[in-house]
Amino acid sequence: MAVEILETHRSFGGKQIKYRHTSKILKCDMTFSLFLPEETPDKKETPLIWWLSGLTCTDDNFSQKAAFQKYAAEQNIAFVMPDTSPRGATADSEDWDLGQGAGFYLNTTQDPWKENFQMYDYLTKELPEIVYPLLPNFSGKESIMGHSMGGHGALVLGLKNPQRFAAISAFAPISNPSNVPWGQKAFTAYLGDDQSAWSQWDATEILKTAGENHPPILVTQGTDDPFYEVQLKEEAFLSAAKAAGGEVIYQKELGYDHSYFTIATFIEAHIAFHQAQLDKGKR
C-alpha cells in the first residue's frame, strides 16, 4: 500500500518521519509517525513499540513533546505513533471528547460512527501491514504504550492480543471506561446503550478473564492530575489485576499532572520496562 512521506527530521542519529496513506478500513486519509533508530552495518534487529495518544491529540503530540527519541535510539527501538481517530470527511461531534480526535481505539457499531470509526481493526490489521515494511531489520517483537484515552487503548489492545505484545504500559489511563464519564459518553455513542457490549472494550473487564498470562503491565499516574478523581479511577482495575494474577505495576507519582511534562519525566523508565520484556523474546 502506497505511503507518502510528509516530514523527515534527524533525531539522535535516527529519523522521525511523518507519513500519510489512504486507509481502506477507515475510508479516509490518515497520518502516522515513525521513529527509526540509526542504521549501521552491524545493527542488531529492531523491535517496535506502539504509542497511542489521548483525547484531542494526533500523531504529533508524542513525537514532539515526549522526549523519547534519545532513549529509543540508545536501546535501538522503533516507535510508531498512529492518529487517534479517522479524519476528514467522516462523522464528527461538537464535543471535544467525542468524534474526531476521540476514537477510543475500538470498532463502533452505531450510526453515524460505524462507517469510519473502526480503529481497532485499523490498528490490528491494516496499519501493521503498512508499518512493518518500513522498519529496517525488524525483529518481529512488539509492545504497546499510551496516555489517557491512549492508555485505555494500549491496555485493551495489549490484553486482547497477548501473543503479539510483549508488554503494556500506560500514563494516566482510562482503565475502567464503563464507569467513568469519558468512557460512558463514548461507549454510548459508539456502541449503544446495551452495556453488555461495552465489556470487550473495557480493560478492567478484559482483565477479569485474561488470567495471569497477560503481558506485564506498568502504569504511571500523577497525584496532581486534574482528571484523576473522576475519570481515571484505578480501584476496579487493580482489583481485577489482583484476581487475575500476573505482573501489574501501578505507580503514583507525587505532584505530577496529566501533561506531557509527566510523560517526558518517566518515559525512560517506561522504555526500560518494555526493553526488558522485548529482550525476553516474542510472546
Side-chain angles (χ1 to χ4, degrees):
M1 186 176 293
V3 293
E4 176 187 2
I5 295 178
L6 301 178
E7 300 176 16
T8 302
H9 305 280
R10 194 75 169 160
S11 181
F12 294 96
K15 293 180 180 179
Q16 183 71 52
I17 311 170
K18 185 179 180 74
Y19 297 90
R20 178 167 57 207
H21 75 104
T22 300
S23 168
K24 293 181 179 179
I25 287 177
L26 304 182
K27 301 177 182 178
C28 64
D29 285 348
M30 293 292 289
T31 61
F32 66 93
S33 292
L34 188 63
F35 175 75
L36 300 175
E38 184 177 15
E39 292 184 67
T40 61
D42 58 346
K43 195 71 168 182
K44 62 182 180 180
E45 290 185 326
T46 303
L48 177 66
I49 297 179
W50 291 75
W51 171 270
L52 305 184
S53 290
L55 291 163
T56 75
C57 292
T58 69
D59 54 302
D60 290 333
N61 293 74
F62 185 71
S63 66
Q64 296 178 8
K65 297 180 179 180
F68 76 94
Q69 288 92 345
K70 179 178 185 293
Y71 310 113
E74 290 174 349
Q75 299 301 321
N76 187 47
I77 297 174
F79 269 78
V80 61
M81 293 132 269
D83 202 349
T84 53
S85 77
R87 300 287 177 173
T90 67
D92 200 6
S93 168
E94 294 182 356
D95 297 336
W96 66 272
D97 53 357
L98 187 69
Q100 293 186 30
F104 269 79
Y105 303 105
L106 49 76
N107 289 337
T108 61
T109 60
Q110 305 298 302
D111 290 326
W113 312 103
K114 65 182 182 181
E115 177 71 13
N116 304 98
F117 280 62
Q118 304 295 319
M119 286 296 292
Y120 180 81
D121 280 355
Y122 172 67
L123 293 175
T124 58
K125 298 178 180 179
E126 184 176 18
L127 192 56
E129 296 306 312
I130 296 171
V131 170
Y132 294 159
L134 300 174
L135 304 173
N137 208 26
F138 178 39
S139 69
K141 301 175 184 178
E142 304 176 81
S143 61
I144 190 165
M145 62 168 73
H147 172 231
S148 194
M149 178 188 73
H152 144 75
L155 290 168
V156 168
L157 266 72
L159 289 169
K160 288 170 79 74
N161 299 276
Q163 299 307 312
R164 175 180 169 189
F165 296 111
I168 306 166
S169 76
F171 294 86
I174 308 172
S175 61
N176 188 201
S178 298
N179 290 305
V180 299
W182 275 341
Q184 291 168 339
K185 180 177 181 177
F187 283 7
T188 300
Y190 296 151
L191 304 172
D193 294 325
D194 182 2
Q195 295 191 16
S196 64
W198 297 6
S199 60
Q200 65 175 311
W201 305 111
D202 187 315
T204 295
E205 296 302 316
I206 298 169
L207 196 53
K208 289 178 181 179
T209 59
E212 64 181 8
N213 291 322
H214 62 77
I217 298 171
L218 169 64
V219 175
T220 296
Q221 173 65 59
T223 61
D224 282 12
D225 188 325
F227 302 113
Y228 171 61
E229 293 293 340
V230 175
Q231 306 285 6
L232 309 173
K233 299 174 182 178
E234 80 280 13
E235 292 89 351
F237 177 77
L238 293 181
S239 177
K242 183 177 180 180
E247 182 179 353
V248 177
I249 303 167
Y250 185 88
Q251 299 174 331
K252 281 189 178 179
E253 299 295 345
L254 184 64
Y256 286 89
D257 58 21
H258 200 70
S259 72
Y260 269 79
F261 293 106
T262 300
I263 295 170
T265 300
F266 297 102
I267 192 64
E268 181 179 11
H270 277 244
I271 291 175
F273 172 79
H274 285 266
Q275 181 67 64
Q277 300 304 323
L278 290 163
D279 281 347
K280 293 179 180 179
K282 191 173 181 180
R283 291 181 62 83

